[in-house]
C-alpha cells in the first residue's frame, strides 16, 4: 500500500496561496501588502479550478503564486514597513500622553524614507524594457499633473508630476521624437518613437476636475510613487544620451507666471562644465583647483575645428544618440507573387528630420480661446521655433505677445468667421485724429491682411498626415473635415470616411438610393399647391368631356353613312397575335434565357389579352406606358437576386463537404463579417442623410 498523501501538500494546492495566508506569512498589514505587490509587479492569479486549490470548505476569491510570495520574503522594504508600524505606535502613545511636540518631532525625524531604486533595476534590466512599460506611467503622471490639490492628492505630488512630464516633453521637442496625436473625448493621445519603441499615452483636457469619493487614491498614489521614480530614471538616461544636463534649470519666477515649457533652461554638458570652471576661477581658489578648471575648459572645447571632407555629412543628434542614419532614402518592397497582397511600404512621416521641418518656416500666434500648452508642445516638437500667444495665456516664453506683429504667418483661432478689415475711409469721411496720424488702425476682431487663419484641428491633421493640409478647409467658421484616428486603418469592405459614397457603396445601396430619389421627386411633384391641383383636375375633366363629345359625334356620323373602320375579324386577330409572338420569340433566347425576360413577355401577353377582352365588350382600356428605367432596374435586381441565390447554393454545397469544426469556424467568420457590413451600411446611411440635408440647405439658401 502506497503512502497516503496529505491534502494541500502537492499539485495546484501547493502552487497557489490565498491572500490572507500571504499576509500572515509576510507579517504585514493588508495595505502594506498591496503597496509591496504594486512595487514588485506581483498580481493575483486565477487558477483553473478553485476547489482543488482551496484548502478550506469555502473557496477563496484571491490567489497568488507561492513562489511570488516567497520572493517577497527577502524584500528590504519589509523592514521599512515594520519601522513605519513601530513609529506609528510611538506617535500614538505620545499623543495619548498629550505630548504633541514629541509626536511631531518623532514624525519629522524618524519617518523612514522608501527608496525604489533597486526595484526599478530589478524589474527593468535594460533601458528598452523600461521604455516599453512607459505608456501607463505617462498616462498616470499626466493625469495627476492636471488634478487639483486635495487632502488625498497633496500639492507636492502634483508639482513633482508636472516637473517630470514637462522634462519629458522637452526631450521630445529637442529630438523631434513625437510622431502622431489625436483629439478624442477622453483627452489627447500622443505617440512618440524613442530608441525604436513606440510609446502611446493619454493627456486629459484642462477642465475643472472634480474628484469623487468612489476613487481609492491610496492605490493610485502607490502607482504614482513607483512611476515617478521610473520616469526620473528614464529622463536622466534620455538627457545624458543627447548631451544635456539633468535635471534642467527651472526658473521659479517664470513658473509662477505660467511659463510651463518656457520655465526650463536646457544646457549641454560642455556648457555646464565651462560655467562651473569659470565660477571656480572667479572665486579665487588655489592653484590645484585652477589647474582642474583649466583641464575642464580644455575638455569642453572641441579638439578638431576643421570642417569634414566634402561628400561626408555631419552626424545629427538623432544619429549620434540612436545610431540611425540621417538619409531619407527608404527601401521599397515588391512582392514576388503578382497576385499576392500589397506589402506595406515605409513612410517618411516616421523620420525625425522630416518631422523637425514641418512647421520650421512659420511663425504661429495662438488666440486666447485656443489650448495653449498642447499647441505649443506639438508646434515646437515639429520644428516651429517661433510661437506666440495672447497675453491672457501668459507672457513668459512667448515669441510675440501682440496680435499685430507683422512676422506672424499663421494665426490659430477657434471662433466664428472673422471679417476682413474694412477699407480705409476717404479724405472727407476721415476723422481728425486719423488725418493727423496718417495711419490706418485695424478694428478689433478683424483679420490681418497677408496672414493665414486656421482652426486648431489643422495642426493635428497636418501632423498625422506628415504634410501641410489645405488651410482653406480649416478656415474660421468652416465645416471641418472629419478628424480620424491615425492608428485605425480602414479595411476592405468597412466604412472609410475619407472616400466618397460612390466609391464604397454597394450596387444594392446605389439602386435603393435611386429609388428613394425618384420617390422624393414624385412627392415633390405631388406636393404642389392645392390651387394648381384643382385647376389641373378641372382641366382634365373638361378634356375628357370634350373627347367624349367628339367620339359621340363620330359614332353618329358613322351611322349616317360615313366610312367607319370595322373591327378586325377573329382570324386576323389570331394572325396578329401569332406574328407578335413570333417576333418576341426571335428576341427570346429559348429556355436558357433570363427569367426576367420571360416575365416581361408574360406581362405583355396578359396586357394584350386584357385589351382584346375590353374591346370585345365595348370598353375603353387606358394603356399605361411602361417605364424603361423601371423595367431595366427590375431586370437588374432580378439578375442580382438570381446570382446571389446561385452563390448561396454553391456555398451551402461546399459547407456540406467541410468538417464540423471548420464549418463552425466558417459560420462564425461569416457572422462577424455580416455584422461589420451592417455597421458600415448604417454609417453610410447616416452620411447619405447628412449630405442630402446639406444639399437641401444650400439649395434653400
Amino acid at each position: 500500500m502506497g503512502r497516503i498523501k496529505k491534502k494541500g501538500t502537492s499539485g495546484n494546492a501547493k502552487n497557489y496561496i490565498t491572500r490572507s495566508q500571504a499576509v500572515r506569512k509576510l507579517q504585514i498589514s493588508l495595505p502594506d501588502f498591496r503597496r509591496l505587490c504594486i512595487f514588485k509587479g506581483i498580481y493575483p492569479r486565477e487558477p483553473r479550478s478553485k476547489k482543488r486549490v482551496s484548502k478550506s470548505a469555502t473557496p477563496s476569491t484571491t490567489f497568488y503564486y507561492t513562489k511570488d510570495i516567497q520572493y517577497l520574503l527577502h524584500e528590504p522594504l519589509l523592514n521599512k514597513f515594520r519601522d513605519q508600524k513601530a513609529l506609528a505606535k510611538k506617535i500614538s502613545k505620545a499623543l495619548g500622553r498629550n505630548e504633541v511636540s514629541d509626536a511631531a518631532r518623532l514624525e519629522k525625524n524618524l519617518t523612514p524614507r522608501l527608496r525604489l531604486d533597486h526595484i526599478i533595476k530589478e524589474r527593468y534590466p535594460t533601458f528598452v524594457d523600461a521604455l516599453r512599460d512607459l505608456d501607463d506611467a505617462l498616462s498616470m503622471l499626466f493625469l495627476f499633473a492636471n488634478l487639483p490639490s486635495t487632502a488625498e492628492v497633496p500639492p507636492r505630488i502634483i508639482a513633482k508630476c508636472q516637473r517630470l512630464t514637462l522634462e519629458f516633453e522637452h526631450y521630445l521637442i529637442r529630438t523631434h521624437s513625437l510622431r502622431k496625436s489625436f483629439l478624442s473625448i477622453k483627452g489627447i493621445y500622443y505617440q512618440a518613437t524613442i530608441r525604436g519603441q513606440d510609446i502611446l499615452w493619454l493627456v486629459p483636457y484642462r477642465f475643472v476636475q472634480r474628484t469623487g469619493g468612489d476613487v481609492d487614491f491610496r492605490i493610485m498614489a502607490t502607482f504614482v510613487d513607483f512611476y515617478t521614480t521610473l520616469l526620473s530614471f528614464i529622463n536622466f538616461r534620455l538627457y545624458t544620451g543627447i548631451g544635456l544636463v539633468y535635471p534642467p534649470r527651472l526658473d521659479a519666477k517664470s513658473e509662477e507666471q505660467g511659463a510651463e515649457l518656457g520655465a526650463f533652461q536646457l544646457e549641454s554638458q560642455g556648457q555646464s562644465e565651462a560655467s562651473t570652471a569659470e565660477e571656480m576661477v572667479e572665486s579665487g581658489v588655489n592653484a590645484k583647483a585652477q589647474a582642474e578648471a583649466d583641464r575642464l575648459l580644455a575638455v569642453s572645447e572641441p579638439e578638431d575645428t576643421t570642417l569634414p571632407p566634402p561628400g561626408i555629412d555631419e552626424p545629427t543628434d538623432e544619429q549620434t544618440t540612436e545610431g540611425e542614419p540621417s538619409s531619407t532614402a527608404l527601401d521599397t518592397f515588391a512582392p514576388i507573387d503578382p497576385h499576392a497582397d500589397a506589402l506595406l511600404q515605409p513612410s517618411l512621416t516616421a523620420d525625425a528630420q522630416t518631422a523637425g521641418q514641418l512647421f520650421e518656416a512659420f511663425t504661429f500666434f495662438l488666440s486666447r480661446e485656443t489650448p495653449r500648452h498642447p499647441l505649443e508642445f506639438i508646434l515646437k516638437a515639429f520644428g516651429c521655433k517661433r510661437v506666440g500667444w495672447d497675453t491672457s495665456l501668459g507672457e513668459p516664453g512667448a515669441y510675440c505677445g501682440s496680435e499685430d506683429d507683422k512676422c506672424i504667418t499663421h494665426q490659430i483661432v477657434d471662433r466664428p468667421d472673422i471679417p476682413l478689415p474694412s477699407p480705409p475711409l476717404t479724405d472727407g469721411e476721415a476723422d481728425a485724429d486719423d488725418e493727423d496720424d496718417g495711419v490706418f488702425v485695424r478694428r478689433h476682431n478683424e483679420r490681418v491682411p497677408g496672414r493665414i487663419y486656421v482652426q486648431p484641428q489643422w495642426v493635428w491633421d497636418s501632423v498625422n498626415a506628415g504634410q501641410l493640409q489645405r488651410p482653406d478647409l480649416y478656415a474660421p467658421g468652416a465645416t471641418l473635415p472629419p478628424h480620424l484616428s491615425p492608428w485605425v486603418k480602414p479595411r476592405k469592405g468597412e466604412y472609410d470616411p475619407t472616400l466618397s459614397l460612390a466609391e464604397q457603396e454597394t450596387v444594392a445601396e446605389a439602386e435603393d438610393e435611386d429609388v428613394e430619389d425618384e420617390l422624393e421627386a414624385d412627392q415633390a411633384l405631388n406636393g404642389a399647391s392645392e390651387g394648381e391641383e384643382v385647376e389641373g383636375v378641372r382641366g382634365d375633366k373638361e378634356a375628357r368631356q370634350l373627347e367624349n363629345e367628339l367620339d359621340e359625334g363620330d359614332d353618329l356620323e358613322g351611322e349616317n353613312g360615313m366610312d367607319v373602320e370595322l373591327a378586325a375579324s377573329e382570324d386576323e386577330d389570331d394572325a396578329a397575335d401569332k406574328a407578335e409572338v413570333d417576333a418576341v420569340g426571335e428576341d427570346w433566347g429559348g429556355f436558357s434565357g433570363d427569367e426576367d425576360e420571360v416575365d416581361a413577355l408574360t406581362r405583355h401577353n396578359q396586357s394584350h389579352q386584357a385589351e382584346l377582352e375590353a374591346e370585345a365588350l365595348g370598353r375603353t382600356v387606358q394603356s399605361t406606358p411602361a417605364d424603361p428605367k423601371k423595367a431595366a432596374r427590375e431586370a437588374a435586381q432580378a439578375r442580382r437576386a438570381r446570382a446571389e441565390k446561385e452563390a448561396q447554393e454553391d456555398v451551402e454545397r461546399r459547407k456540406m463537404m467541410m468538417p464540423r469544426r471548420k464549418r463552425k469556424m466558417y459560420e462564425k467568420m461569416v457572422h462577424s463579417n455580416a455584422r461589420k457590413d451592417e455597421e458600415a451600411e448604417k454609417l453610410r446611411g447616416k452620411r447619405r442623410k447628412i449630405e442630402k440635408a446639406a444639399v437641401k440647405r444650400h439649395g434653400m439658401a
Side-chain angles (χ1 to χ4, degrees):
M1 183 176 178
R3 186 176 180 181
I4 300 175
K5 292 185 179 179
K6 189 177 180 181
K7 183 180 179 181
T9 57
S10 63
N12 288 331
K14 186 178 180 182
N15 294 334
Y16 292 92
I17 187 173
T18 63
R19 188 179 63 181
S20 58
Q21 292 173 350
V23 170
R24 286 197 300 268
K25 191 170 187 178
L26 296 175
Q27 297 181 2
I28 56 177
S29 61
L30 183 59
D32 291 341
F33 176 73
R34 289 173 179 167
R35 294 179 64 192
L36 187 60
C37 289
I38 291 173
F39 290 152
K40 300 290 288 186
I42 295 174
Y43 301 97
R45 307 294 177 175
E46 186 71 18
R48 291 185 178 180
S49 177
K50 289 187 177 182
K51 292 183 179 180
R52 295 182 179 180
V53 174
S54 180
K55 301 181 179 63
S56 59
T58 57
S60 303
T61 56
T62 307
F63 292 92
Y64 293 86
Y65 283 145
T66 305
K67 290 185 178 180
D68 290 343
I69 303 303
Q70 290 178 352
Y71 174 69
L72 292 178
L73 288 172
H74 307 283
E75 177 57 39
L77 289 179
L78 287 175
N79 296 328
K80 299 289 184 180
F81 291 154
R82 292 173 183 134
D83 294 342
Q84 286 181 350
K85 188 175 181 180
L87 178 63
K89 289 182 179 179
K90 293 180 181 179
I91 292 175
S92 62
K93 288 181 180 179
L95 293 176
R97 293 192 296 267
N98 202 13
E99 298 175 355
V100 180
S101 59
D102 293 344
R105 179 179 53 81
L106 291 173
E107 184 179 5
K108 181 180 179 180
N109 299 330
L110 300 181
T111 300
R113 183 181 179 184
L114 301 180
R115 297 186 62 87
L116 307 178
D117 304 348
H118 64 285
I119 297 180
I120 300 295
K121 296 178 182 179
E122 288 177 3
R123 292 185 60 176
Y124 308 107
T126 62
F127 185 60
V128 176
D129 295 333
L131 292 177
R132 289 173 182 170
D133 201 18
L134 195 58
D135 299 351
D136 295 336
L138 289 176
S139 299
M140 180 70 74
L141 295 182
F142 273 101
L143 172 63
F144 268 74
N146 293 319
L147 287 179
S149 60
T150 57
E152 294 84 5
V153 185
R156 177 180 56 83
I157 298 294
I158 297 174
K160 188 174 183 180
C161 294
Q162 290 177 352
R163 180 179 61 82
L164 291 174
T165 53
L166 290 176
E167 290 173 357
F168 182 74
E169 288 181 349
H170 266 293
Y171 172 79
L172 299 180
I173 293 173
R174 187 66 176 262
T175 58
H176 306 294
S177 301
L178 191 65
R179 293 293 175 264
K180 299 176 183 178
S181 182
F182 176 64
L183 300 168
S184 69
I185 299 176
K186 297 180 180 179
I188 306 176
Y189 285 92
Y190 295 97
Q191 183 182 10
T193 302
I194 303 175
R195 307 290 178 89
Q197 302 298 323
D198 292 335
I199 303 171
L200 179 67
W201 70 95
L202 175 64
V203 179
Y205 295 112
R206 294 196 172 183
F207 298 143
V208 178
Q209 303 286 345
R210 296 181 179 179
T211 57
D214 55 344
V215 180
D216 192 354
F217 282 95
R218 294 179 300 173
I219 297 178
M220 296 180 68
T222 305
F223 277 101
V224 168
D225 291 341
F226 177 74
Y227 287 150
T228 51
T229 308
L230 173 63
L231 189 56
S232 299
F233 270 86
I234 291 176
N235 285 347
F236 172 77
R237 185 70 178 273
L238 293 177
Y239 272 65
T240 55
I242 60 176
L244 295 178
V245 178
Y246 186 82
R249 288 188 179 183
L250 177 63
D251 190 355
K253 185 178 180 180
S254 299
E255 185 186 13
E256 291 177 358
Q257 296 177 358
E260 296 182 353
L261 288 173
F264 290 88
Q265 299 177 1
L266 303 184
E267 296 179 353
S268 61
Q269 293 180 355
Q271 293 177 355
S272 63
E273 291 176 355
S275 60
T276 305
E278 290 176 359
E279 292 177 357
M280 292 172 62
V281 172
E282 291 178 358
S283 59
V285 294
N286 54 13
K288 184 177 180 180
Q290 187 172 356
E292 183 68 18
D294 295 338
R295 187 185 66 81
L296 290 176
L297 287 173
V299 171
S300 61
E301 294 178 354
E303 296 180 0
D304 188 9
T305 58
T306 59
L307 295 175
I312 300 178
D313 298 332
E314 295 182 0
T316 58
D317 293 341
E318 194 75 12
Q319 182 178 357
T320 55
T321 55
E322 303 184 11
E324 297 179 357
S326 60
S327 176
T328 57
L330 299 176
D331 297 332
T332 56
F333 302 96
I336 299 176
D337 188 2
H339 301 288
D341 297 336
L343 297 176
L344 294 176
Q345 302 296 335
S347 176
L348 283 175
T349 55
D351 189 16
Q353 184 177 0
T354 306
Q357 297 175 355
L358 187 61
F359 302 124
E360 186 178 5
F362 305 135
T363 301
F364 287 87
F365 184 82
L366 311 180
S367 298
R368 62 179 181 273
E369 72 275 0
T370 57
R372 172 198 145 189
H373 182 76
L375 286 172
E376 180 189 3
F377 169 56
I378 291 182
L379 292 174
K380 289 184 177 180
F382 282 86
C384 182
K385 297 180 176 59
R386 300 175 297 275
V387 182
W389 50 78
D390 192 83
T391 54
S392 60
L393 301 177
E395 290 188 37
Y399 179 77
C400 56
S402 176
E403 188 177 354
D404 298 329
D405 198 334
K406 295 182 180 180
C407 66
I408 299 173
T409 60
H410 292 71
Q411 183 169 350
I412 302 177
V413 297
D414 193 7
R415 64 183 73 173
D417 190 12
I418 303 176
L420 294 173
S422 57
L425 301 175
T426 59
D427 296 338
E429 298 177 354
D431 297 335
D433 297 338
D434 295 343
E435 291 178 356
D436 295 339
D437 297 340
V439 178
F440 173 68
V441 181
R442 182 180 65 89
R443 296 180 181 178
H444 182 64
N445 201 18
E446 285 184 349
R447 295 195 182 190
V448 178
R451 184 180 300 179
I452 299 176
Y453 287 80
V454 291
Q455 299 188 41
Q457 185 180 331
W458 178 80
V459 178
W460 272 269
D461 290 351
S462 300
V463 165
N464 295 333
Q467 59 184 358
L468 299 177
Q469 300 297 303
R470 290 174 49 187
D472 57 328
L473 300 177
Y474 302 85
T479 302
L480 295 174
H483 181 58
L484 305 176
S485 173
W487 300 284
V488 178
K489 301 300 180 184
R491 299 180 180 178
K492 186 177 181 180
E494 295 183 356
Y495 173 70
D496 188 1
T498 59
L499 301 178
S500 61
L501 287 175
E503 296 177 0
Q504 56 182 329
E505 64 182 357
T506 60
V507 179
E509 291 178 359
E511 293 179 355
D512 294 341
E513 185 180 359
D514 294 339
V515 173
E516 290 179 1
D517 293 340
E518 292 180 2
L519 292 176
E520 289 179 359
D522 295 340
Q523 291 177 2
L525 291 175
N526 296 330
S529 61
E530 296 181 357
E532 295 177 357
E533 291 181 357
V534 172
E535 292 177 359
V537 172
R538 187 178 302 166
D540 293 340
K541 288 182 179 179
E542 293 176 356
R544 292 196 194 96
Q545 187 176 1
L546 179 60
E547 185 178 357
N548 293 332
E549 292 177 356
L550 291 175
D551 292 339
E552 290 176 359
D554 292 340
D555 294 339
L556 292 174
E557 289 178 359
E559 290 177 358
N560 292 333
M562 296 292 293
D563 293 335
V564 180
E565 184 179 358
L566 300 176
S569 62
E570 295 180 0
D571 297 337
E572 293 176 353
D573 292 340
D574 295 339
D577 295 341
K578 186 177 181 181
E580 290 179 1
V581 171
D582 293 340
V584 174
E586 292 177 358
D587 297 335
W588 181 49
F591 291 100
S592 61
D594 295 335
E595 296 177 2
D596 53 355
E597 297 180 1
V598 176
D599 296 339
L601 177 61
T602 305
R603 289 194 298 270
H604 176 72
N605 293 334
Q606 290 178 357
S607 61
H608 184 69
Q609 185 67 24
E611 290 178 1
L612 293 177
E613 292 177 356
E615 187 176 357
L617 296 175
R619 299 175 182 174
T620 59
V621 179
Q622 296 179 356
S623 59
T624 56
D627 188 3
K629 292 184 179 179
K630 184 176 181 181
R633 186 168 58 250
E634 291 178 355
Q637 290 178 356
R639 285 194 297 268
R640 188 175 66 253
R642 186 176 61 258
E644 292 178 356
K645 184 178 180 181
E646 292 177 356
Q648 185 65 24
E649 291 177 354
D650 187 19
V651 170
E652 292 296 332
R653 285 194 299 270
R654 293 186 179 185
K655 284 172 60 177
M656 293 174 62
M657 305 300 294
M658 296 172 62
R660 182 175 177 274
R661 182 174 61 84
K662 292 185 178 180
R663 186 170 64 251
K664 294 291 184 183
M665 187 183 302
Y666 175 77
E667 290 175 355
K668 279 186 177 181
M669 182 182 66
V670 170
H671 178 68
S672 62
N673 291 340
R675 289 185 58 186
K676 292 179 181 178
D677 293 341
E678 289 179 1
E679 294 177 358
E681 186 176 355
K682 288 180 181 179
L683 293 175
R684 286 194 291 267
K686 290 181 179 179
R687 180 175 177 180
R688 192 176 295 109
K689 291 180 181 179
I690 293 172
E691 290 182 356
K692 287 183 179 180
V695 169
K696 290 181 180 178
R697 225 172 21 247
H698 288 297
M700 294 175 63

